[in-house]
Amino acid sequence: MKFEHLLSPLKVGNKTYRNRIVSAPMAFGLIVQNPDAREFTYRKLESGAAGGNGCVIVGETDVNFKDAVRIPGFREFDFSKPEEDMETFSAVSEYATRIKRHGAVALAELVHCGKEMVPFKPEHEAVGPVECVNYAGVKVRAMNKDDMDRIAHDFAVAAVYMKKCGFDGVCIHGGHGFIFTQFLSPLMNTRTDEYGGSLENRAKFPLQILREIREAVGEEFLVELRIDGTDHQDGGITAEETGQFVQWAEKDLTSVHITCGIYEESVKSGTESSMFHDHGLNIEQAAIVKKYTSLPVGAVGGINSPELCEEAIASGKIDFAVLGRQVLADPQFANKCIAGEEDRIRRCLRCYKCFPGSPEEGYDDLPYTSQELALYVGHCTINPLAHLPFDPETIPAPDKSAKVLIIGGGPAGMQAAITAADRGHKVTLVDKADKLGGLLYFTDIDIDKPDLRNFKNLLVNEVGRRDIEVKLGTEATPDFVRSFGADAVIIATGSVPTCPPIKGIENAHQAMAVYDGSIKPGKKVVMIGGGLVGCETGLYLQKTGCEVTVVEMLDRVANESFGMYREALVWEMEKCNVTSMPKTKCLEIESDGVTVENADGTQKIPADTVLYALGMKSVDYDELKAAAGDAEVFVIGDAIKPAKVDQATRSAYLAAVDIQCDAVKGMH
């Protein structure tokens, strides 16, 4: 086997993982209390098991409803009395049943957020190692010994509950600035009693939790610990201290998962890494922890390739790899490795589509409430099957094989062609360009988009693997469409930049021109328009030697983005010294600069090159649609409206499964 270390079995406690691939905790465990969320949540967790992973972990379950609750809306019950809420017990048990029936080991994650709690009810309170006010402005009460005893007992009772549900073990969330980190970190734990000061003292309460869990569940039940190798805070926990803690806890654990960061600084500290972080950002910290323990040690964080996993395991840095968002991007990761088809893996972009952050983390620009977010989590930019409202396995076959014409070879057109061909249709894909890829051609040049480039190339290769007729350098005119005689026409004609009526616009170039080689920017660049295209292109130019100023009329740059991705992008721009000028209007573009106006008055910004990124508009397709005659017509991707890649892949998939299949149309 090509990935002999990654695909070899691993003994963990009394269980054997069939390989070294573990699905990181995903979904909020109790979301299955909601009947509307139940089935797609089960599919999300089950898919990793069906995809061949050795272990699958169900996401956060709060250990009590008093001071551990992170998400509002869950029905409260007594973990010690499952018989009093058999609906919840049965719903949670179903996770374990579905995961284990595919041969994977099933774990449930338990968590207490400590001082990070935002109370949702009057009886809720935030508690932590010391009295403080948390980032959300909530007053935190310092825990006393009674609190510690109660919370340790809550963990133990919740673990027994999961054992009764049929899980093989639990994973304790001890990282990300939650209650374990709060006690272990000398930065957060400034207590002066027996629970503060030395690492030995700071470790007492976390060790108490693990000891009580082990005593409650017995020796055969898996107890795994997710814990920070570093919290990336000056004066915070170090990998060496974590290693020492794990050594002390070893007798009560079966394995360790190394993560990093703190909840209130998720992007900057790497709890959910962005495309600007290194892949596998926790592997080196895990290697340090591994020196302190004989337990299996894994790492999570930005891992999206089997090559990285194999190298890290073969070199002895880790024993297993924990994949989070990557399992959403491609649940078949393990099976594709086994089959030697690693080049067909859809590799996670780390774009935050699946989890954009939460209101409790301080993201006040999300288009979701906390309750809506709990239902939303799990979508994916590059996997159109993720979080579907229906089970794709239940889609009936089309009523007949259709002759399908797809106009446009961007990501939408390619995904539509792939899905339609897999459904048994005869597909022709037409594009006037000389290669497939559409607007994603820029990824061949851009520095920060290697994973998006990989996805573009994957789609091109997947089209090539199928019996799809591809006509490049061919414009689909109305006459072409009429003469083609298609049963179904999918219009994926995309979008083009808009050119605004700014004085002197003839002295500027559209931003994407820097990627197609039609211009070579000078040293000083002014970008008119600070949306995503302007910001990302400006960042690319800054990283390749230009001095970039981004001018934006709105109150903030990258305004159409939100949550974690926007934070990651803006932070990267700041680190690279891109100058951002929000609340600034462009008055005139001249050959040597741009005149702008803002609260400071009118000024001229010198420039060698002026670029603009002031929006996109859909290519007009009315004549093509009319020329299709009686054929089924579907409009997908940017042809619907200019948007992101997620709209392209999802709309393409849905259109392709709709072709000649009336039964599907009512499913979404």
Side-chain angles (χ1 to χ4, degrees):
M1 290 187 294
K2 187 169 185 179
F3 305 106
E4 60 176 329
H5 294 89
L6 178 63
L7 298 177
S8 65
L10 175 67
K11 192 82 162 65
V12 180
N14 69 330
K15 297 291 181 181
T16 298
Y17 293 0
R18 58 188 171 188
N19 55 48
R20 310 297 182 97
I21 303 169
V22 173
S23 290
M26 283 193 288
F28 298 101
L30 295 181
I31 194 67
V32 290
Q33 286 183 333
N34 183 340
D36 294 334
R38 200 168 284 164
E39 281 305 316
F40 67 69
T41 303
Y42 288 145
R43 289 199 303 273
K44 178 166 43 183
L45 274 297
E46 186 177 3
S47 65
N53 288 2
C55 173
V56 174
I57 310 174
V58 176
E60 298 178 19
T61 301
D62 306 318
V63 297
N64 69 43
F65 298 98
K66 173 181 171 60
D67 45 34
V69 182
R70 286 229 296 135
I71 300 296
F74 293 150
R75 185 171 68 251
E76 298 184 11
F77 63 94
D78 187 339
F79 281 104
S80 68
K81 300 175 181 177
E83 67 280 358
E84 292 184 357
D85 187 349
M86 286 305 296
E87 182 184 354
T88 295
F89 181 77
S90 297
V92 174
S93 298
E94 182 68 11
Y95 281 128
T97 299
R98 295 200 185 196
I99 292 168
K100 290 165 69 173
R101 75 183 180 194
H102 296 286
V105 171
L107 304 181
E109 184 181 54
L110 303 180
V111 62
H112 191 298
C113 59
K115 74 180 184 68
E116 304 298 354
M117 182 182 179
V118 179
F120 304 113
K121 295 182 178 180
E123 61 268 27
H124 291 167
E125 66 171 341
V127 297
V130 297
E131 183 177 313
C132 64
V133 176
N134 69 20
Y135 67 96
V138 175
K139 186 175 180 179
V140 178
R141 179 175 63 79
M143 293 169 61
N144 55 39
K145 186 64 169 67
D146 288 342
D147 294 315
M148 295 180 202
D149 291 343
R150 172 178 55 82
I151 290 171
H153 180 69
D154 289 341
F155 269 99
V157 170
V160 171
Y161 182 89
M162 294 304 177
K163 185 177 182 180
K164 291 178 179 177
C165 285
F167 286 93
D168 299 304
V170 290
C171 178
I172 308 304
H173 197 335
H176 296 182
F178 295 147
I179 205 162
F180 273 57
T181 309
Q182 290 163 28
F183 272 83
L184 290 170
S185 168
L187 187 65
M188 298 185 195
N189 182 357
T190 57
R191 294 176 73 111
T192 57
D193 63 2
E194 63 178 303
Y195 293 97
S198 67
L199 177 62
E200 188 173 11
N201 284 353
R202 302 196 310 271
K204 284 182 177 178
F205 176 50
L207 289 173
Q208 178 187 350
I209 293 173
L210 297 176
R211 184 172 60 253
E212 292 204 24
I213 292 172
R214 175 55 71 200
E215 290 173 353
V217 297
E219 294 300 316
E220 299 301 303
F221 199 61
L222 301 185
V223 179
E224 309 199 2
L225 177 66
R226 172 181 254 211
I227 191 167
D228 283 355
T230 172
D231 52 22
H232 289 297
Q233 306 297 303
D234 291 338
I237 194 75
T238 67
E240 289 77 11
E241 288 178 312
T242 295
Q244 180 61 72
F245 172 77
V246 168
Q247 191 177 89
W248 291 334
E250 199 171 72
K251 65 181 183 302
D252 295 321
L253 296 174
T254 46
S255 78
V256 181
H257 305 207
I258 299 301
T259 182
C260 70
I262 61 170
Y263 180 64
E264 60 195 71
E265 290 279 4
S266 284
V267 171
K268 292 182 179 179
S269 66
T271 63
E272 286 92 13
S273 65
S274 78
M275 68 178 66
F276 305 114
H277 285 100
D278 291 337
H279 287 99
L281 71 163
N282 294 311
I283 290 173
E284 295 303 325
Q285 304 297 327
I288 294 172
V289 173
K290 191 166 161 48
K291 295 176 182 178
Y292 288 82
T293 180
S294 60
L295 294 173
V297 175
V300 68
I303 300 174
N304 70 351
S305 75
E307 296 84 2
L308 176 60
C309 300
E310 178 69 15
E311 190 281 328
I313 297 170
S315 63
K317 292 180 179 178
I318 59 175
D319 297 297
F320 58 94
V322 187
L323 310 183
R325 291 170 287 176
Q326 176 55 48
V327 178
L328 293 175
D330 197 335
Q332 289 291 316
F333 182 99
N335 284 341
K336 288 177 180 178
C337 291
I338 293 167
E341 297 182 337
E342 67 276 5
D343 59 329
R344 304 187 74 178
I345 294 171
R346 296 190 178 212
R347 304 190 182 200
C348 173
L349 307 182
R350 296 190 290 177
C351 65
Y352 299 115
K353 173 69 178 177
C354 54
F355 180 67
S358 67
E360 290 73 43
E361 287 173 288
Y363 293 107
D364 57 7
D365 61 350
L366 300 175
Y368 318 102
T369 64
S370 294
Q371 293 93 332
E372 290 168 341
L373 181 67
L375 294 173
Y376 170 88
V377 169
H379 285 77
C380 182
T381 291
I382 62 174
N383 178 10
L385 277 68
H387 219 71
L388 281 171
F390 57 88
D391 184 351
E393 296 295 323
T394 65
I395 296 176
D399 302 326
K400 70 170 188 175
S401 177
K403 184 180 182 182
V404 179
L405 173 63
I406 300 175
I407 306 171
M414 289 190 287
Q415 180 63 62
I418 292 164
T419 304
D422 288 348
R423 297 271 291 159
H425 300 300
K426 182 174 176 55
V427 179
T428 299
L429 177 60
V430 176
D431 197 296
K432 62 183 178 182
D434 60 359
K435 60 182 178 180
L436 295 173
L439 288 177
L440 294 188
Y441 72 87
F442 85 94
T443 61
D444 291 336
I445 308 297
D446 194 271
I447 291 173
D448 294 317
K449 299 294 177 74
D451 291 319
L452 186 56
R453 177 171 65 249
N454 178 76
F455 177 59
K456 182 260 294 180
N457 292 340
L458 177 141
L459 290 177
V460 173
N461 292 335
E462 289 296 312
V463 168
R465 288 175 180 270
R466 290 162 173 79
D467 185 19
I468 297 170
E469 183 180 15
V470 178
K471 290 179 172 288
L472 296 174
T474 303
E475 184 172 0
T477 63
D479 285 344
F480 179 95
V481 174
R482 273 189 289 268
S483 63
F484 188 87
D487 298 311
V489 176
I490 297 179
I491 298 173
T493 44
S495 60
V496 293
T498 56
C499 186
I502 297 175
K503 185 177 181 181
I505 190 69
E506 67 276 6
N507 294 311
H509 304 272
Q510 206 281 325
M512 296 296 285
V514 305
Y515 295 109
D516 64 19
S518 59
I519 67 163
K520 183 173 177 58
K523 181 70 173 176
K524 292 185 180 294
V525 175
V526 174
M527 177 72 70
I528 309 301
L532 280 176
V533 173
C535 287
E536 291 180 344
T537 306
L539 179 59
Y540 161 71
L541 292 173
Q542 187 82 15
K543 288 185 174 184
T544 52
C546 297
E547 297 172 3
V548 180
T549 299
V550 176
V551 175
E552 171 57 50
M553 285 185 62
L554 298 178
D555 290 351
R556 63 180 202 168
V557 297
N559 188 64
E560 72 267 45
S561 188
F562 51 82
M564 288 173 143
Y565 183 75
R566 182 180 180 276
E567 180 187 0
L569 174 60
V570 172
W571 186 43
E572 187 74 5
M573 291 171 66
E574 291 172 353
K575 285 196 298 181
C576 295
N577 299 312
V578 176
T579 300
S580 296
M581 296 181 66
K583 302 181 184 179
T584 300
K585 182 180 182 181
C586 175
L587 299 179
E588 183 177 359
I589 303 171
E590 300 167 77
S591 60
D592 61 348
V594 177
T595 300
V596 301
E597 181 182 47
N598 56 27
D600 296 327
T602 301
Q603 59 177 299
K604 183 171 181 177
I605 309 172
D608 301 312
T609 304
V610 180
L611 302 170
Y612 66 88
L614 292 160
M616 306 286 286
K617 63 179 180 180
S618 298
V619 174
D620 181 53
Y621 57 79
D622 288 345
E623 291 186 7
L624 297 176
K625 186 175 182 179
D630 294 333
E632 286 187 289
V633 177
F634 304 90
V635 180
I636 63 174
D638 276 9
I640 301 171
K641 66 176 182 179
K644 302 174 188 175
V645 177
D646 62 288
Q647 176 187 254
T649 55
R650 179 60 69 94
S651 62
Y653 172 81
L654 293 176
V657 297
D658 272 354
I659 296 170
Q660 298 292 330
C661 193
D662 291 337
V664 176
K665 291 178 172 60
M667 297 174 71
H668 61 85

